[in-house]
């Protein structure tokens, strides 16, 4: 079981950006949470990727075809705008879980649409960085079905 965790724009600024919303932990801490959780859940590999560029995220999803069994994705701001990321997830058809650190449903109107989420079988929101662990757990359960 190989997992790929994808993080979109500005998530590299965790700990600095809007700590009241996203917390004070750094991106490095998030990477460690994913790798520790992945190991504990029985994944043989968990790669954690971040990019501020939509095309780089699409390239990464395409590269996952045939090499990755499951995806956890927080497309960040691209959640609400990117049909390209949605189409890439649909193209590779790899089981995917959408994750958001904040409770997007309780935030601004423009955050209420999720394109990427339309290609995901589950969604985790508002659980902070530990939401990634929850997302990996849902992915493991799906892959072991
Ligand atoms: C986010 C929520 C998005 O609306 C926002 O643009 C982000 C982070 C989250 O993890 O809560 O950058 O995806």
């Amino acid at each position: 079981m190989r997992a790929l965790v994808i993080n979109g724009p500005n998530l590299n600024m965790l700990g600095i950006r809007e700590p009241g919303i996203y917390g004070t932990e750094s991106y490095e801490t998030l990477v460690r949470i994913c790798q520790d959780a992945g190991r504990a859940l029985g994944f043989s590999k968990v790669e954690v990727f971040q990019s501020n560029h939509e095309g780089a995220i699409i390239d990464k999803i395409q590269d996952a075809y045939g090499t990755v069994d499951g995806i956890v994705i927080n497309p960040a701001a691209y959640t609400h705008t990117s049909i390209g990321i949605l189409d890439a997830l649909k193209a590779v058809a790899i089981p995917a879980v959408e994750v958001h650190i904040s409770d997007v449903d309780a935030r601004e109107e423009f955050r209420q649409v999720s394109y990427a989420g339309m290609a995901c079988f589950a969604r985790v929101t508002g659980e902070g960085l530990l939401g990634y662990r929850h997302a990996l757990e849902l992915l493991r359960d799906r892959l072991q079905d």
Side-chain angles (χ1 to χ4, degrees), residues 9 11 17 22 74-77 79-80 99-102 104 107 111:
L11 290 169
R17 77 179 287 215
Y22 300 111
N74 183 349
T79 306
H80 319 299
V99 63
H100 298 284
I101 296 165
S102 67
V104 276
R107 297 182 63 192
R111 295 185 204 275

Side-chain angles (χ1 to χ4, degrees), residues 118-139:
M118 295 172 194
C120 294
F121 72 85
R123 182 171 202 246
V124 175
T125 64
E127 297 182 20
L129 300 194
L130 290 178
Y132 285 75
R133 188 195 159 88
H134 186 186
L136 283 163
E137 206 174 319
L138 295 170
L139 193 59

